[in-house]
Amino acid sequence: MPESKNDISAAPAQGAGGSATPGKRSYQHPHPLPSYLNPDNLGPWGIYLKQVDRVTPYLGHLARWVETLKHPKRALIVDIPVELDDGTVAHFEGYRVQHNLSRGPGKGGVRFHQDVTLSEVMALAAWMSVKNAAVNVPFGGAKGGIRIDPRKYSEKELEKVARRYTSEIGLIIGPTKDIPAPDVNTNEKVMAWMMDTYSMNIGATATGVVTGKPIDLGGSLGRREATGRGVFTVGAEAAKLIGLPIEGARVAVQGFGNVGGIAAKLFAEAGAKVVAVQDHTGTIYRDSGLEVARLQEHVREHGGVAGFADADVMAAEEFWGIDCDILIPAALEAQINKDNAGRVKARILIEGANGPTTPTADDILHDNGVLVVPDVIANAGGVTVSYFEWVQDFSSFFWTEEEINQRLVKIMRDAFNAVWHVAQQHKVSLRTATFIVACSRILQARELRGLYP
């Protein structure tokens, strides 16, 4: 069965009562929408729903349960009042969304960003459901976020925000309920604050309530590098399957943190040339290859790639058209869209970020022969080692970094090869194949559990 391209078509929108909104031209979405979303602008949740549309024809008898995937189980919006350093009181909006818990407790990061929206967090939670099922770890999908620009606040203020947020969502998180982790603009320190706050509230130390913690508080070796290592692992597998040698391959990376920076380092160690890097501070290029280790040191000292001596500066919009074999978007959502997808020259695009490619861009890349390794498999290394951390916390028995990396690589390779097989079987993209594998597992669990009551 060919892969379909489903777009939202213009039609009168249906309100909660089923009638069209008077005098307003809107969009009729093929899914029943929650009342708190704007059908004219669904944001990232709309992208996720299109992806569900594409997988539905391949679900067989499990398609009966597909509406389960289109409704988050639980969405919590909280107010976070904080006294700032100058004595004023500020209020921030926070979210925690649990998309699906059929296969286990929720799992997903918490991000601090000024543009976080409920639609974004819903989509990220749904992608976590897919990601966890794709690598077959026993978690459901969840995500959290706070609308705050962390650059404008002191560390003490951010600690207050993190602790109050943890208290507000404490009703629905826990080691057997929902386990947060770091995401955009959060780190080990934020996880330590969250773990301590939750532990104080329940009167007992609960190391398993979050992952991505400092090693001294029950964190796992290899966790910080895990997402980037997973990106490299599946990227190397994809390159092997299409006959692209890693040695000498030209690599371009957007985002140079724990994901893009580690992936770039591993590709460089395997003999590839990292020729371009872009982050929030600028875009740099060197045709003969950047010295990744020195660039990482520069980023640690200066907060970004701008100003790196041994590189040329290029315009931001030129980055997507760079002459390369492997392109790794490892920053934020919707970076590759209808306006720049046609300029991509890479043979493989590996999604280190969550949702960096819009559905329209996906189709353009496919038509141009670019192999897209989707986020829901490519960046699942982080949640895989988070699973290892969670298991280690429960048993109070910790593994060596070598053991962790070996287990991570095996899980990622096995998961990617299963997805590749499904893609070849059904003649679909790797994204749709990943959704076929993952959604089948989620809905099989839903069917076996049945409905309560």
Side-chain angles (χ1 to χ4, degrees), residues 176-198:
T176 61
K177 293 181 178 180
D178 181 1
I179 306 107
D183 199 80
V184 176
N185 293 326
T186 58
N187 54 24
E188 294 178 352
K189 185 176 291 184
V190 175
M191 293 305 106
W193 295 334
M194 293 185 69
M195 188 212 79
D196 181 69
T197 303
Y198 181 85

mmCIF file with all atom_site columns, all heavy atoms in Angstrom, residues 176-198:
data_model
loop_
_atom_site.group_PDB
_atom_site.id
_atom_site.type_symbol
_atom_site.label_atom_id
_atom_site.label_alt_id
_atom_site.label_comp_id
_atom_site.label_asym_id
_atom_site.label_entity_id
_atom_site.label_seq_id
_atom_site.pdbx_PDB_ins_code
_atom_site.Cartn_x
_atom_site.Cartn_y
_atom_site.Cartn_z
_atom_site.occupancy
_atom_site.B_iso_or_equiv
_atom_site.pdbx_formal_charge
_atom_site.auth_seq_id
_atom_site.auth_comp_id
_atom_site.auth_asym_id
_atom_site.auth_atom_id
_atom_site.pdbx_PDB_model_num
ATOM 1   N N   . THR A 1 176 ? 6.989  5.328  39.676 1.00 0.00 ? 176 THR A N   1
ATOM 2   C CA  . THR A 1 176 ? 6.135  4.346  38.992 1.00 0.00 ? 176 THR A CA  1
ATOM 3   C C   . THR A 1 176 ? 4.991  5.019  38.240 1.00 0.00 ? 176 THR A C   1
ATOM 4   O O   . THR A 1 176 ? 4.103  4.335  37.725 1.00 0.00 ? 176 THR A O   1
ATOM 5   C CB  . THR A 1 176 ? 5.555  3.338  39.998 1.00 0.00 ? 176 THR A CB  1
ATOM 6   O OG1 . THR A 1 176 ? 4.760  4.045  40.965 1.00 0.00 ? 176 THR A OG1 1
ATOM 7   C CG2 . THR A 1 176 ? 6.652  2.574  40.704 1.00 0.00 ? 176 THR A CG2 1
ATOM 8   N N   . LYS A 1 177 ? 4.994  6.363  38.165 1.00 0.00 ? 177 LYS A N   1
ATOM 9   C CA  . LYS A 1 177 ? 3.926  7.105  37.489 1.00 0.00 ? 177 LYS A CA  1
ATOM 10  C C   . LYS A 1 177 ? 4.417  7.828  36.236 1.00 0.00 ? 177 LYS A C   1
ATOM 11  O O   . LYS A 1 177 ? 3.878  7.658  35.152 1.00 0.00 ? 177 LYS A O   1
ATOM 12  C CB  . LYS A 1 177 ? 3.318  8.139  38.448 1.00 0.00 ? 177 LYS A CB  1
ATOM 13  C CG  . LYS A 1 177 ? 2.554  7.586  39.628 1.00 0.00 ? 177 LYS A CG  1
ATOM 14  C CD  . LYS A 1 177 ? 2.007  8.760  40.441 1.00 0.00 ? 177 LYS A CD  1
ATOM 15  C CE  . LYS A 1 177 ? 1.184  8.313  41.630 1.00 0.00 ? 177 LYS A CE  1
ATOM 16  N NZ  . LYS A 1 177 ? 0.676  9.484  42.402 1.00 0.00 ? 177 LYS A NZ  1
ATOM 17  N N   . ASP A 1 178 ? 5.426  8.673  36.430 1.00 0.00 ? 178 ASP A N   1
ATOM 18  C CA  . ASP A 1 178 ? 5.907  9.534  35.356 1.00 0.00 ? 178 ASP A CA  1
ATOM 19  C C   . ASP A 1 178 ? 7.261  10.070 35.796 1.00 0.00 ? 178 ASP A C   1
ATOM 20  O O   . ASP A 1 178 ? 7.389  10.630 36.888 1.00 0.00 ? 178 ASP A O   1
ATOM 21  C CB  . ASP A 1 178 ? 4.908  10.674 35.128 1.00 0.00 ? 178 ASP A CB  1
ATOM 22  C CG  . ASP A 1 178 ? 5.315  11.621 34.012 1.00 0.00 ? 178 ASP A CG  1
ATOM 23  O OD1 . ASP A 1 178 ? 6.363  11.398 33.383 1.00 0.00 ? 178 ASP A OD1 1
ATOM 24  O OD2 . ASP A 1 178 ? 4.580  12.602 33.774 1.00 0.00 ? 178 ASP A OD2 1
ATOM 25  N N   . ILE A 1 179 ? 8.279  9.883  34.952 1.00 0.00 ? 179 ILE A N   1
ATOM 26  C CA  . ILE A 1 179 ? 9.662  10.174 35.328 1.00 0.00 ? 179 ILE A CA  1
ATOM 27  C C   . ILE A 1 179 ? 10.233 11.250 34.411 1.00 0.00 ? 179 ILE A C   1
ATOM 28  O O   . ILE A 1 179 ? 10.600 10.973 33.271 1.00 0.00 ? 179 ILE A O   1
ATOM 29  C CB  . ILE A 1 179 ? 10.525 8.888  35.238 1.00 0.00 ? 179 ILE A CB  1
ATOM 30  C CG1 . ILE A 1 179 ? 9.917  7.748  36.053 1.00 0.00 ? 179 ILE A CG1 1
ATOM 31  C CG2 . ILE A 1 179 ? 11.937 9.163  35.702 1.00 0.00 ? 179 ILE A CG2 1
ATOM 32  C CD1 . ILE A 1 179 ? 9.284  6.660  35.223 1.00 0.00 ? 179 ILE A CD1 1
ATOM 33  N N   . PRO A 1 180 ? 10.319 12.516 34.871 1.00 0.00 ? 180 PRO A N   1
ATOM 34  C CA  . PRO A 1 180 ? 10.897 13.575 34.044 1.00 0.00 ? 180 PRO A CA  1
ATOM 35  C C   . PRO A 1 180 ? 12.401 13.382 33.827 1.00 0.00 ? 180 PRO A C   1
ATOM 36  O O   . PRO A 1 180 ? 13.046 12.561 34.472 1.00 0.00 ? 180 PRO A O   1
ATOM 37  C CB  . PRO A 1 180 ? 10.617 14.850 34.854 1.00 0.00 ? 180 PRO A CB  1
ATOM 38  C CG  . PRO A 1 180 ? 9.478  14.496 35.767 1.00 0.00 ? 180 PRO A CG  1
ATOM 39  C CD  . PRO A 1 180 ? 9.687  13.042 36.094 1.00 0.00 ? 180 PRO A CD  1
ATOM 40  N N   . ALA A 1 181 ? 12.940 14.201 32.921 1.00 0.00 ? 181 ALA A N   1
ATOM 41  C CA  . ALA A 1 181 ? 14.362 14.150 32.562 1.00 0.00 ? 181 ALA A CA  1
ATOM 42  C C   . ALA A 1 181 ? 14.752 15.505 31.994 1.00 0.00 ? 181 ALA A C   1
ATOM 43  O O   . ALA A 1 181 ? 13.898 16.368 31.773 1.00 0.00 ? 181 ALA A O   1
ATOM 44  C CB  . ALA A 1 181 ? 14.598 13.035 31.533 1.00 0.00 ? 181 ALA A CB  1
ATOM 45  N N   . PRO A 1 182 ? 16.043 15.752 31.733 1.00 0.00 ? 182 PRO A N   1
ATOM 46  C CA  . PRO A 1 182 ? 16.449 17.031 31.131 1.00 0.00 ? 182 PRO A CA  1
ATOM 47  C C   . PRO A 1 182 ? 15.980 17.158 29.688 1.00 0.00 ? 182 PRO A C   1
ATOM 48  O O   . PRO A 1 182 ? 15.790 16.162 28.990 1.00 0.00 ? 182 PRO A O   1
ATOM 49  C CB  . PRO A 1 182 ? 17.982 16.985 31.196 1.00 0.00 ? 182 PRO A CB  1
ATOM 50  C CG  . PRO A 1 182 ? 18.319 15.899 32.154 1.00 0.00 ? 182 PRO A CG  1
ATOM 51  C CD  . PRO A 1 182 ? 17.200 14.914 32.077 1.00 0.00 ? 182 PRO A CD  1
ATOM 52  N N   . ASP A 1 183 ? 15.806 18.388 29.258 1.00 0.00 ? 183 ASP A N   1
ATOM 53  C CA  . ASP A 1 183 ? 15.461 18.687 27.875 1.00 0.00 ? 183 ASP A CA  1
ATOM 54  C C   . ASP A 1 183 ? 16.081 20.052 27.560 1.00 0.00 ? 183 ASP A C   1
ATOM 55  O O   . ASP A 1 183 ? 17.076 20.421 28.187 1.00 0.00 ? 183 ASP A O   1
ATOM 56  C CB  . ASP A 1 183 ? 13.929 18.672 27.691 1.00 0.00 ? 183 ASP A CB  1
ATOM 57  C CG  . ASP A 1 183 ? 13.512 18.512 26.238 1.00 0.00 ? 183 ASP A CG  1
ATOM 58  O OD1 . ASP A 1 183 ? 13.533 17.374 25.737 1.00 0.00 ? 183 ASP A OD1 1
ATOM 59  O OD2 . ASP A 1 183 ? 13.182 19.526 25.601 1.00 0.00 ? 183 ASP A OD2 1
ATOM 60  N N   . VAL A 1 184 ? 15.504 20.799 26.656 1.00 0.00 ? 184 VAL A N   1
ATOM 61  C CA  . VAL A 1 184 ? 16.067 22.090 26.264 1.00 0.00 ? 184 VAL A CA  1
ATOM 62  C C   . VAL A 1 184 ? 16.204 23.009 27.486 1.00 0.00 ? 184 VAL A C   1
ATOM 63  O O   . VAL A 1 184 ? 15.243 23.238 28.224 1.00 0.00 ? 184 VAL A O   1
ATOM 64  C CB  . VAL A 1 184 ? 15.175 22.763 25.197 1.00 0.00 ? 184 VAL A CB  1
ATOM 65  C CG1 . VAL A 1 184 ? 15.696 24.160 24.859 1.00 0.00 ? 184 VAL A CG1 1
ATOM 66  C CG2 . VAL A 1 184 ? 15.115 21.903 23.944 1.00 0.00 ? 184 VAL A CG2 1
ATOM 67  N N   . ASN A 1 185 ? 17.400 23.517 27.708 1.00 0.00 ? 185 ASN A N   1
ATOM 68  C CA  . ASN A 1 185 ? 17.720 24.473 28.776 1.00 0.00 ? 185 ASN A CA  1
ATOM 69  C C   . ASN A 1 185 ? 17.563 23.915 30.191 1.00 0.00 ? 185 ASN A C   1
ATOM 70  O O   . ASN A 1 185 ? 17.493 24.677 31.160 1.00 0.00 ? 185 ASN A O   1
ATOM 71  C CB  . ASN A 1 185 ? 16.883 25.762 28.641 1.00 0.00 ? 185 ASN A CB  1
ATOM 72  C CG  . ASN A 1 185 ? 17.246 26.567 27.419 1.00 0.00 ? 185 ASN A CG  1
ATOM 73  O OD1 . ASN A 1 185 ? 18.406 26.602 27.008 1.00 0.00 ? 185 ASN A OD1 1
ATOM 74  N ND2 . ASN A 1 185 ? 16.265 27.203 26.805 1.00 0.00 ? 185 ASN A ND2 1
ATOM 75  N N   . THR A 1 186 ? 17.517 22.603 30.340 1.00 0.00 ? 186 THR A N   1
ATOM 76  C CA  . THR A 1 186 ? 17.581 21.991 31.669 1.00 0.00 ? 186 THR A CA  1
ATOM 77  C C   . THR A 1 186 ? 18.723 20.980 31.682 1.00 0.00 ? 186 THR A C   1
ATOM 78  O O   . THR A 1 186 ? 19.174 20.536 30.637 1.00 0.00 ? 186 THR A O   1
ATOM 79  C CB  . THR A 1 186 ? 16.257 21.316 32.070 1.00 0.00 ? 186 THR A CB  1
ATOM 80  O OG1 . THR A 1 186 ? 15.909 20.316 31.101 1.00 0.00 ? 186 THR A OG1 1
ATOM 81  C CG2 . THR A 1 186 ? 15.134 22.324 32.181 1.00 0.00 ? 186 THR A CG2 1
ATOM 82  N N   . ASN A 1 187 ? 19.181 20.619 32.885 1.00 0.00 ? 187 ASN A N   1
ATOM 83  C CA  . ASN A 1 187 ? 20.388 19.799 32.986 1.00 0.00 ? 187 ASN A CA  1
ATOM 84  C C   . ASN A 1 187 ? 20.388 18.998 34.280 1.00 0.00 ? 187 ASN A C   1
ATOM 85  O O   . ASN A 1 187 ? 19.370 18.902 34.967 1.00 0.00 ? 187 ASN A O   1
ATOM 86  C CB  . ASN A 1 187 ? 21.628 20.698 32.900 1.00 0.00 ? 187 ASN A CB  1
ATOM 87  C CG  . ASN A 1 187 ? 21.595 21.832 33.932 1.00 0.00 ? 187 ASN A CG  1
ATOM 88  O OD1 . ASN A 1 187 ? 20.923 21.732 34.968 1.00 0.00 ? 187 ASN A OD1 1
ATOM 89  N ND2 . ASN A 1 187 ? 22.309 22.902 33.656 1.00 0.00 ? 187 ASN A ND2 1
ATOM 90  N N   . GLU A 1 188 ? 21.533 18.421 34.604 1.00 0.00 ? 188 GLU A N   1
ATOM 91  C CA  . GLU A 1 188 ? 21.662 17.607 35.816 1.00 0.00 ? 188 GLU A CA  1
ATOM 92  C C   . GLU A 1 188 ? 21.289 18.378 37.072 1.00 0.00 ? 188 GLU A C   1
ATOM 93  O O   . GLU A 1 188 ? 20.665 17.845 37.987 1.00 0.00 ? 188 GLU A O   1
ATOM 94  C CB  . GLU A 1 188 ? 23.111 17.113 35.944 1.00 0.00 ? 188 GLU A CB  1
ATOM 95  C CG  . GLU A 1 188 ? 23.550 16.143 34.867 1.00 0.00 ? 188 GLU A CG  1
ATOM 96  C CD  . GLU A 1 188 ? 25.002 15.739 35.032 1.00 0.00 ? 188 GLU A CD  1
ATOM 97  O OE1 . GLU A 1 188 ? 25.695 16.340 35.900 1.00 0.00 ? 188 GLU A OE1 1
ATOM 98  O OE2 . GLU A 1 188 ? 25.456 14.826 34.313 1.00 0.00 ? 188 GLU A OE2 1
ATOM 99  N N   . LYS A 1 189 ? 21.682 19.639 37.133 1.00 0.00 ? 189 LYS A N   1
ATOM 100 C CA  . LYS A 1 189 ? 21.403 20.450 38.322 1.00 0.00 ? 189 LYS A CA  1
ATOM 101 C C   . LYS A 1 189 ? 19.905 20.632 38.515 1.00 0.00 ? 189 LYS A C   1
ATOM 102 O O   . LYS A 1 189 ? 19.387 20.522 39.638 1.00 0.00 ? 189 LYS A O   1
ATOM 103 C CB  . LYS A 1 189 ? 22.093 21.808 38.191 1.00 0.00 ? 189 LYS A CB  1
ATOM 104 C CG  . LYS A 1 189 ? 21.967 22.691 39.420 1.00 0.00 ? 189 LYS A CG  1
ATOM 105 C CD  . LYS A 1 189 ? 22.768 23.980 39.261 1.00 0.00 ? 189 LYS A CD  1
ATOM 106 C CE  . LYS A 1 189 ? 24.256 23.704 39.265 1.00 0.00 ? 189 LYS A CE  1
ATOM 107 N NZ  . LYS A 1 189 ? 25.051 24.958 39.216 1.00 0.00 ? 189 LYS A NZ  1
ATOM 108 N N   . VAL A 1 190 ? 19.180 20.904 37.435 1.00 0.00 ? 190 VAL A N   1
ATOM 109 C CA  . VAL A 1 190 ? 17.723 21.049 37.529 1.00 0.00 ? 190 VAL A CA  1
ATOM 110 C C   . VAL A 1 190 ? 17.083 19.737 37.977 1.00 0.00 ? 190 VAL A C   1
ATOM 111 O O   . VAL A 1 190 ? 16.153 19.726 38.795 1.00 0.00 ? 190 VAL A O   1
ATOM 112 C CB  . VAL A 1 190 ? 17.135 21.517 36.180 1.00 0.00 ? 190 VAL A CB  1
ATOM 113 C CG1 . VAL A 1 190 ? 15.605 21.555 36.237 1.00 0.00 ? 190 VAL A CG1 1
ATOM 114 C CG2 . VAL A 1 190 ? 17.681 22.896 35.805 1.00 0.00 ? 190 VAL A CG2 1
ATOM 115 N N   . MET A 1 191 ? 17.603 18.608 37.476 1.00 0.00 ? 191 MET A N   1
ATOM 116 C CA  . MET A 1 191 ? 17.067 17.319 37.898 1.00 0.00 ? 191 MET A CA  1
ATOM 117 C C   . MET A 1 191 ? 17.333 17.071 39.382 1.00 0.00 ? 191 MET A C   1
ATOM 118 O O   . MET A 1 191 ? 16.491 16.484 40.083 1.00 0.00 ? 191 MET A O   1
ATOM 119 C CB  . MET A 1 191 ? 17.676 16.194 37.062 1.00 0.00 ? 191 MET A CB  1
ATOM 120 C CG  . MET A 1 191 ? 17.277 16.215 35.589 1.00 0.00 ? 191 MET A CG  1
ATOM 121 S SD  . MET A 1 191 ? 15.478 16.202 35.313 1.00 0.00 ? 191 MET A SD  1
ATOM 122 C CE  . MET A 1 191 ? 15.199 17.909 34.810 1.00 0.00 ? 191 MET A CE  1
ATOM 123 N N   . ALA A 1 192 ? 18.478 17.528 39.880 1.00 0.00 ? 192 ALA A N   1
ATOM 124 C CA  . ALA A 1 192 ? 18.778 17.378 41.308 1.00 0.00 ? 192 ALA A CA  1
ATOM 125 C C   . ALA A 1 192 ? 17.777 18.178 42.144 1.00 0.00 ? 192 ALA A C   1
ATOM 126 O O   . ALA A 1 192 ? 17.284 17.698 43.178 1.00 0.00 ? 192 ALA A O   1
ATOM 127 C CB  . ALA A 1 192 ? 20.205 17.837 41.595 1.00 0.00 ? 192 ALA A CB  1
ATOM 128 N N   . TRP A 1 193 ? 17.461 19.402 41.707 1.00 0.00 ? 193 TRP A N   1
ATOM 129 C CA  . TRP A 1 193 ? 16.463 20.206 42.417 1.00 0.00 ? 193 TRP A CA  1
ATOM 130 C C   . TRP A 1 193 ? 15.097 19.520 42.414 1.00 0.00 ? 193 TRP A C   1
ATOM 131 O O   . TRP A 1 193 ? 14.400 19.496 43.424 1.00 0.00 ? 193 TRP A O   1
ATOM 132 C CB  . TRP A 1 193 ? 16.344 21.582 41.768 1.00 0.00 ? 193 TRP A CB  1
ATOM 133 C CG  . TRP A 1 193 ? 17.556 22.442 41.858 1.00 0.00 ? 193 TRP A CG  1
ATOM 134 C CD1 . TRP A 1 193 ? 18.543 22.393 42.810 1.00 0.00 ? 193 TRP A CD1 1
ATOM 135 C CD2 . TRP A 1 193 ? 17.932 23.477 40.944 1.00 0.00 ? 193 TRP A CD2 1
ATOM 136 N NE1 . TRP A 1 193 ? 19.492 23.346 42.549 1.00 0.00 ? 193 TRP A NE1 1
ATOM 137 C CE2 . TRP A 1 193 ? 19.156 24.033 41.415 1.00 0.00 ? 193 TRP A CE2 1
ATOM 138 C CE3 . TRP A 1 193 ? 17.368 24.009 39.785 1.00 0.00 ? 193 TRP A CE3 1
ATOM 139 C CZ2 . TRP A 1 193 ? 19.800 25.085 40.753 1.00 0.00 ? 193 TRP A CZ2 1
ATOM 140 C CZ3 . TRP A 1 193 ? 18.005 25.047 39.131 1.00 0.00 ? 193 TRP A CZ3 1
ATOM 141 C CH2 . TRP A 1 193 ? 19.212 25.571 39.618 1.00 0.00 ? 193 TRP A CH2 1
ATOM 142 N N   . MET A 1 194 ? 14.728 18.977 41.264 1.00 0.00 ? 194 MET A N   1
ATOM 143 C CA  . MET A 1 194 ? 13.426 18.324 41.152 1.00 0.00 ? 194 MET A CA  1
ATOM 144 C C   . MET A 1 194 ? 13.356 17.077 42.032 1.00 0.00 ? 194 MET A C   1
ATOM 145 O O   . MET A 1 194 ? 12.365 16.837 42.724 1.00 0.00 ? 194 MET A O   1
ATOM 146 C CB  . MET A 1 194 ? 13.131 17.982 39.685 1.00 0.00 ? 194 MET A CB  1
ATOM 147 C CG  . MET A 1 194 ? 12.923 19.197 38.800 1.00 0.00 ? 194 MET A CG  1
ATOM 148 S SD  . MET A 1 194 ? 12.443 18.772 37.099 1.00 0.00 ? 194 MET A SD  1
ATOM 149 C CE  . MET A 1 194 ? 10.775 18.130 37.364 1.00 0.00 ? 194 MET A CE  1
ATOM 150 N N   . MET A 1 195 ? 14.428 16.273 42.009 1.00 0.00 ? 195 MET A N   1
ATOM 151 C CA  . MET A 1 195 ? 14.451 15.067 42.837 1.00 0.00 ? 195 MET A CA  1
ATOM 152 C C   . MET A 1 195 ? 14.370 15.421 44.316 1.00 0.00 ? 195 MET A C   1
ATOM 153 O O   . MET A 1 195 ? 13.632 14.802 45.085 1.00 0.00 ? 195 MET A O   1
ATOM 154 C CB  . MET A 1 195 ? 15.719 14.265 42.573 1.00 0.00 ? 195 MET A CB  1
ATOM 155 C CG  . MET A 1 195 ? 15.740 12.908 43.255 1.00 0.00 ? 195 MET A CG  1
ATOM 156 S SD  . MET A 1 195 ? 17.399 12.364 43.747 1.00 0.00 ? 195 MET A SD  1
ATOM 157 C CE  . MET A 1 195 ? 17.642 13.301 45.242 1.00 0.00 ? 195 MET A CE  1
ATOM 158 N N   . ASP A 1 196 ? 15.127 16.442 44.726 1.00 0.00 ? 196 ASP A N   1
ATOM 159 C CA  . ASP A 1 196 ? 15.122 16.838 46.132 1.00 0.00 ? 196 ASP A CA  1
ATOM 160 C C   . ASP A 1 196 ? 13.746 17.350 46.559 1.00 0.00 ? 196 ASP A C   1
ATOM 161 O O   . ASP A 1 196 ? 13.253 17.010 47.641 1.00 0.00 ? 196 ASP A O   1
ATOM 162 C CB  . ASP A 1 196 ? 16.180 17.913 46.374 1.00 0.00 ? 196 ASP A CB  1
ATOM 163 C CG  . ASP A 1 196 ? 16.223 18.349 47.826 1.00 0.00 ? 196 ASP A CG  1
ATOM 164 O OD1 . ASP A 1 196 ? 16.647 17.538 48.678 1.00 0.00 ? 196 ASP A OD1 1
ATOM 165 O OD2 . ASP A 1 196 ? 15.804 19.484 48.122 1.00 0.00 ? 196 ASP A OD2 1
ATOM 166 N N   . THR A 1 197 ? 13.119 18.164 45.711 1.00 0.00 ? 197 THR A N   1
ATOM 167 C CA  . THR A 1 197 ? 11.796 18.706 46.042 1.00 0.00 ? 197 THR A CA  1
ATOM 168 C C   . THR A 1 197 ? 10.773 17.594 46.189 1.00 0.00 ? 197 THR A C   1
ATOM 169 O O   . THR A 1 197 ? 10.003 17.555 47.165 1.00 0.00 ? 197 THR A O   1
ATOM 170 C CB  . THR A 1 197 ? 11.337 19.693 44.949 1.00 0.00 ? 197 THR A CB  1
ATOM 171 O OG1 . THR A 1 197 ? 12.314 20.726 44.821 1.00 0.00 ? 197 THR A OG1 1
ATOM 172 C CG2 . THR A 1 197 ? 9.983  20.293 45.289 1.00 0.00 ? 197 THR A CG2 1
ATOM 173 N N   . TYR A 1 198 ? 10.746 16.681 45.227 1.00 0.00 ? 198 TYR A N   1
ATOM 174 C CA  . TYR A 1 198 ? 9.799  15.561 45.304 1.00 0.00 ? 198 TYR A CA  1
ATOM 175 C C   . TYR A 1 198 ? 10.069 14.731 46.555 1.00 0.00 ? 198 TYR A C   1
ATOM 176 O O   . TYR A 1 198 ? 9.139  14.335 47.278 1.00 0.00 ? 198 TYR A O   1
ATOM 177 C CB  . TYR A 1 198 ? 9.923  14.697 44.055 1.00 0.00 ? 198 TYR A CB  1
ATOM 178 C CG  . TYR A 1 198 ? 8.976  13.520 44.031 1.00 0.00 ? 198 TYR A CG  1
ATOM 179 C CD1 . TYR A 1 198 ? 7.668  13.656 43.576 1.00 0.00 ? 198 TYR A CD1 1
ATOM 180 C CD2 . TYR A 1 198 ? 9.388  12.257 44.471 1.00 0.00 ? 198 TYR A CD2 1
ATOM 181 C CE1 . TYR A 1 198 ? 6.795  12.584 43.553 1.00 0.00 ? 198 TYR A CE1 1
ATOM 182 C CE2 . TYR A 1 198 ? 8.530  11.177 44.458 1.00 0.00 ? 198 TYR A CE2 1
ATOM 183 C CZ  . TYR A 1 198 ? 7.234  11.344 43.996 1.00 0.00 ? 198 TYR A CZ  1
ATOM 184 O OH  . TYR A 1 198 ? 6.380  10.270 43.991 1.00 0.00 ? 198 TYR A OH  1
#
